[in-house]
Amino acid sequence: MIRQGVLIRGTNEGITVYLHEECEFVVILSELRDKFTNAHDFFRGASISINSGERSITPEEKMALIDLCQDYELSGVEFVTRPEVQNVSQKDPWITEGETLILKKTLRSGQRVTYKGNIIIIGDVNPGAQVIAVGDVAVMGNLRGVVHAGAQGNTDAEVFALALQPTQLRIAHCIARSPDGFSVKKKRRMEPEKASIKEGIIVIEGIED
Amino acid sequence: MNIIKKLSFKENSSKNVAKERLQFILIHDRIKLSPRELAEMKKDIISVVSKYVDVDENELEMSLQRTESNMALQANIPIRSRRN
Amino acid sequence: MNGKVIVITSGKGGVGKTTATANIGTALAMDGNKVVLIDADIGLRNLDVVMGLENRIVYDIVDVVEEACRLEQALIKDKRTKNLHLLPAAQTRDKNAVNPAQMRNLANELRKEFDYVLVDCPAGIEQGFKNAIAGADDAVIITTPEVSAVRDADRIIGLLEVEGLKEPRVVVNRIRMEMVRRGDMMDLEDMIEILAIGLLGVVPEDEDIVVSTNRGEPVVLDPESRAGMAFHNIAQRIQGKDVPLLNLEKEKLMDRVKRIIGLS
């Protein structure tokens, strides 16, 4: 019987939750729920990183953890898994399991998310907010702030958004900015678009269903 | 009604209210006197001065004058008449 | 070159500091000066938006003081006016990201290259204010004809004195002559008497300001605007020229008729 399925540490980077590699997932989930319950105020609004160490977690388990964090009003969850997973080629399909930060919130002016992998935001990115990823960025919402994909120079990185209207869009060392002038764009319906580098410049194209 | 109000009550215009309030607030801010102490001081000044002259209590005006190096408290006390 | 560093401050928020900085800076550049605007409102930057330059920002003031980039890299050229540059604030940091010594260095670095360095100060009297005034030679205080704004301006004058900025000048913003005439707004004389400092200019309330801020174009670019003219005059006085105050009494014919027959 393992007594501690989860271990919570505060570091300079924030709060990290370590998952025991052999403990059963249901035990981990209930221990984490207890910890969240006991220190609800502490965790509310916090962004944590979940380190699963040598343990492999299934997509269902991941969703369960995300749901739990949402129930307790955390603002973000980051998953850190086995180190070798982080070294997958940047050419792989862009939502790479294990090195993707999933954030379910609206990023407001002054907020900034950086991550060494890919970032998925389920919500809007408002003007004045920044999203910076070493890999790709996907926004399931309106992207109006500043976004930088391939922040360490990966020119294959891409930016995807349900509505792509960034103040400024950077991929690797390329910068594209929104057109000057006063324009209130009101799109009647969301038109998913994708930005990538083609022949040295940033190109934005629609995505067929 | 509106027109009459405007013609007759120039002295009570909101501008004058603003100016007066501001002068009091600034006295307080600059010399750290609370509004109550200020009111007491005003009362004391009036009681001293009215020993000698008949003053119009409601017309007393106080303000702070800032010069380069210091501040001066100015009290403007309209006199009704000289006491005999 | 030994340019002048001028901080634009107010104490109270919302009186038009940022608009004034953008417009005075643009007017100075239109007069042929080399001008740089520093947004010192770290964490709540806005000068970029008023200037319509928000989509050009790559580096900001915090990157410069932390030496993440060179100063020249962070300076954004204005898109309309020659010789005008912006050093944007950081949006994702807080006021403590820059300290007064760094600000002083920055100001001294910039005065070598520019005729005028205008610093847009954050509202309040805390760290952000102390940083913003650190390198300044002169201060311009923006206020409006309201009790709260004048009171805060008075507080700021006192604090500036302590920091050695002995002769700040005031800009009275958003004055509404029709209200002054009705006796429902303090006039210039009232305010100057109370604050006892020099008047740098007076700017009428002007709907053009809202429109120009929407567009991200300083109102001084609009030759028809009354507020724009007022800011041009202020820029002239900063350059040491003697320009009479804008005649705010000029009123529309209809207003005049209304006033004479007692309707307004």
PDB file of all heavy atoms in Angstrom, chain B residues 42-53:
ATOM      1  N   LYS B  42     -11.241  78.151  12.517  1.00  0.00           N
ATOM      2  CA  LYS B  42     -12.039  79.191  11.898  1.00  0.00           C
ATOM      3  C   LYS B  42     -12.913  79.870  12.967  1.00  0.00           C
ATOM      4  O   LYS B  42     -13.006  81.096  13.038  1.00  0.00           O
ATOM      5  CB  LYS B  42     -12.909  78.533  10.818  1.00  0.00           C
ATOM      6  CG  LYS B  42     -13.578  79.496   9.872  1.00  0.00           C
ATOM      7  CD  LYS B  42     -14.218  78.721   8.729  1.00  0.00           C
ATOM      8  CE  LYS B  42     -15.288  79.549   8.060  1.00  0.00           C
ATOM      9  NZ  LYS B  42     -15.921  78.852   6.926  1.00  0.00           N
ATOM     10  N   LYS B  43     -13.509  79.020  13.822  1.00  0.00           N
ATOM     11  CA  LYS B  43     -14.353  79.551  14.885  1.00  0.00           C
ATOM     12  C   LYS B  43     -13.554  80.442  15.834  1.00  0.00           C
ATOM     13  O   LYS B  43     -13.986  81.544  16.210  1.00  0.00           O
ATOM     14  CB  LYS B  43     -14.971  78.387  15.678  1.00  0.00           C
ATOM     15  CG  LYS B  43     -16.488  78.466  15.767  1.00  0.00           C
ATOM     16  CD  LYS B  43     -17.078  77.176  16.328  1.00  0.00           C
ATOM     17  CE  LYS B  43     -16.797  77.013  17.818  1.00  0.00           C
ATOM     18  NZ  LYS B  43     -17.102  75.637  18.292  1.00  0.00           N
ATOM     19  N   ASP B  44     -12.367  79.961  16.207  1.00  0.00           N
ATOM     20  CA  ASP B  44     -11.514  80.725  17.113  1.00  0.00           C
ATOM     21  C   ASP B  44     -11.126  82.064  16.509  1.00  0.00           C
ATOM     22  O   ASP B  44     -11.169  83.092  17.197  1.00  0.00           O
ATOM     23  CB  ASP B  44     -10.239  79.922  17.443  1.00  0.00           C
ATOM     24  CG  ASP B  44     -10.551  78.744  18.358  1.00  0.00           C
ATOM     25  OD1 ASP B  44     -11.687  78.707  18.879  1.00  0.00           O
ATOM     26  OD2 ASP B  44      -9.684  77.877  18.531  1.00  0.00           O
ATOM     27  N   ILE B  45     -10.740  82.006  15.245  1.00  0.00           N
ATOM     28  CA  ILE B  45     -10.339  83.263  14.585  1.00  0.00           C
ATOM     29  C   ILE B  45     -11.499  84.256  14.637  1.00  0.00           C
ATOM     30  O   ILE B  45     -11.338  85.421  15.017  1.00  0.00           O
ATOM     31  CB  ILE B  45      -9.928  83.011  13.111  1.00  0.00           C
ATOM     32  CG1 ILE B  45      -8.621  82.216  13.081  1.00  0.00           C
ATOM     33  CG2 ILE B  45      -9.746  84.339  12.354  1.00  0.00           C
ATOM     34  CD1 ILE B  45      -8.184  81.804  11.691  1.00  0.00           C
ATOM     35  N   ILE B  46     -12.675  83.743  14.287  1.00  0.00           N
ATOM     36  CA  ILE B  46     -13.839  84.623  14.277  1.00  0.00           C
ATOM     37  C   ILE B  46     -14.119  85.197  15.659  1.00  0.00           C
ATOM     38  O   ILE B  46     -14.385  86.390  15.824  1.00  0.00           O
ATOM     39  CB  ILE B  46     -15.080  83.883  13.733  1.00  0.00           C
ATOM     40  CG1 ILE B  46     -14.876  83.645  12.233  1.00  0.00           C
ATOM     41  CG2 ILE B  46     -16.360  84.681  13.967  1.00  0.00           C
ATOM     42  CD1 ILE B  46     -15.911  82.747  11.613  1.00  0.00           C
ATOM     43  N   SER B  47     -14.011  84.337  16.681  1.00  0.00           N
ATOM     44  CA  SER B  47     -14.345  84.829  18.025  1.00  0.00           C
ATOM     45  C   SER B  47     -13.351  85.895  18.481  1.00  0.00           C
ATOM     46  O   SER B  47     -13.729  86.866  19.140  1.00  0.00           O
ATOM     47  CB  SER B  47     -14.425  83.666  19.016  1.00  0.00           C
ATOM     48  OG  SER B  47     -13.137  83.176  19.279  1.00  0.00           O
ATOM     49  N   VAL B  48     -12.075  85.699  18.105  1.00  0.00           N
ATOM     50  CA  VAL B  48     -11.074  86.709  18.475  1.00  0.00           C
ATOM     51  C   VAL B  48     -11.347  88.013  17.736  1.00  0.00           C
ATOM     52  O   VAL B  48     -11.423  89.084  18.349  1.00  0.00           O
ATOM     53  CB  VAL B  48      -9.642  86.207  18.153  1.00  0.00           C
ATOM     54  CG1 VAL B  48      -8.646  87.347  18.317  1.00  0.00           C
ATOM     55  CG2 VAL B  48      -9.284  85.044  19.055  1.00  0.00           C
ATOM     56  N   VAL B  49     -11.529  87.888  16.436  1.00  0.00           N
ATOM     57  CA  VAL B  49     -11.691  89.099  15.631  1.00  0.00           C
ATOM     58  C   VAL B  49     -12.989  89.819  15.994  1.00  0.00           C
ATOM     59  O   VAL B  49     -13.032  91.051  16.062  1.00  0.00           O
ATOM     60  CB  VAL B  49     -11.649  88.746  14.124  1.00  0.00           C
ATOM     61  CG1 VAL B  49     -11.893  89.996  13.279  1.00  0.00           C
ATOM     62  CG2 VAL B  49     -10.311  88.130  13.758  1.00  0.00           C
ATOM     63  N   SER B  50     -14.035  89.059  16.304  1.00  0.00           N
ATOM     64  CA  SER B  50     -15.316  89.717  16.545  1.00  0.00           C
ATOM     65  C   SER B  50     -15.369  90.442  17.892  1.00  0.00           C
ATOM     66  O   SER B  50     -16.327  91.125  18.188  1.00  0.00           O
ATOM     67  CB  SER B  50     -16.478  88.714  16.401  1.00  0.00           C
ATOM     68  OG  SER B  50     -16.188  87.555  17.094  1.00  0.00           O
ATOM     69  N   LYS B  51     -14.314  90.247  18.713  1.00  0.00           N
ATOM     70  CA  LYS B  51     -14.206  91.055  19.914  1.00  0.00           C
ATOM     71  C   LYS B  51     -14.062  92.526  19.532  1.00  0.00           C
ATOM     72  O   LYS B  51     -14.454  93.416  20.274  1.00  0.00           O
ATOM     73  CB  LYS B  51     -12.954  90.646  20.708  1.00  0.00           C
ATOM     74  CG  LYS B  51     -13.214  89.581  21.735  1.00  0.00           C
ATOM     75  CD  LYS B  51     -12.059  89.592  22.717  1.00  0.00           C
ATOM     76  CE  LYS B  51     -11.582  88.180  22.973  1.00  0.00           C
ATOM     77  NZ  LYS B  51     -10.260  88.143  23.609  1.00  0.00           N
ATOM     78  N   TYR B  52     -13.426  92.756  18.400  1.00  0.00           N
ATOM     79  CA  TYR B  52     -13.094  94.121  18.012  1.00  0.00           C
ATOM     80  C   TYR B  52     -13.980  94.657  16.900  1.00  0.00           C
ATOM     81  O   TYR B  52     -14.302  95.823  16.871  1.00  0.00           O
ATOM     82  CB  TYR B  52     -11.620  94.192  17.567  1.00  0.00           C
ATOM     83  CG  TYR B  52     -10.702  93.671  18.637  1.00  0.00           C
ATOM     84  CD1 TYR B  52     -10.260  92.356  18.612  1.00  0.00           C
ATOM     85  CD2 TYR B  52     -10.320  94.494  19.699  1.00  0.00           C
ATOM     86  CE1 TYR B  52      -9.437  91.858  19.610  1.00  0.00           C
ATOM     87  CE2 TYR B  52      -9.502  93.994  20.694  1.00  0.00           C
ATOM     88  CZ  TYR B  52      -9.058  92.686  20.656  1.00  0.00           C
ATOM     89  OH  TYR B  52      -8.271  92.199  21.634  1.00  0.00           O
ATOM     90  N   VAL B  53     -14.307  93.779  15.952  1.00  0.00           N
ATOM     91  CA  VAL B  53     -15.141  94.233  14.841  1.00  0.00           C
ATOM     92  C   VAL B  53     -16.290  93.261  14.614  1.00  0.00           C
ATOM     93  O   VAL B  53     -16.213  92.087  14.985  1.00  0.00           O
ATOM     94  CB  VAL B  53     -14.331  94.348  13.516  1.00  0.00           C
ATOM     95  CG1 VAL B  53     -13.439  95.568  13.536  1.00  0.00           C
ATOM     96  CG2 VAL B  53     -13.531  93.082  13.272  1.00  0.00           C
TER      97      VAL B  53
END
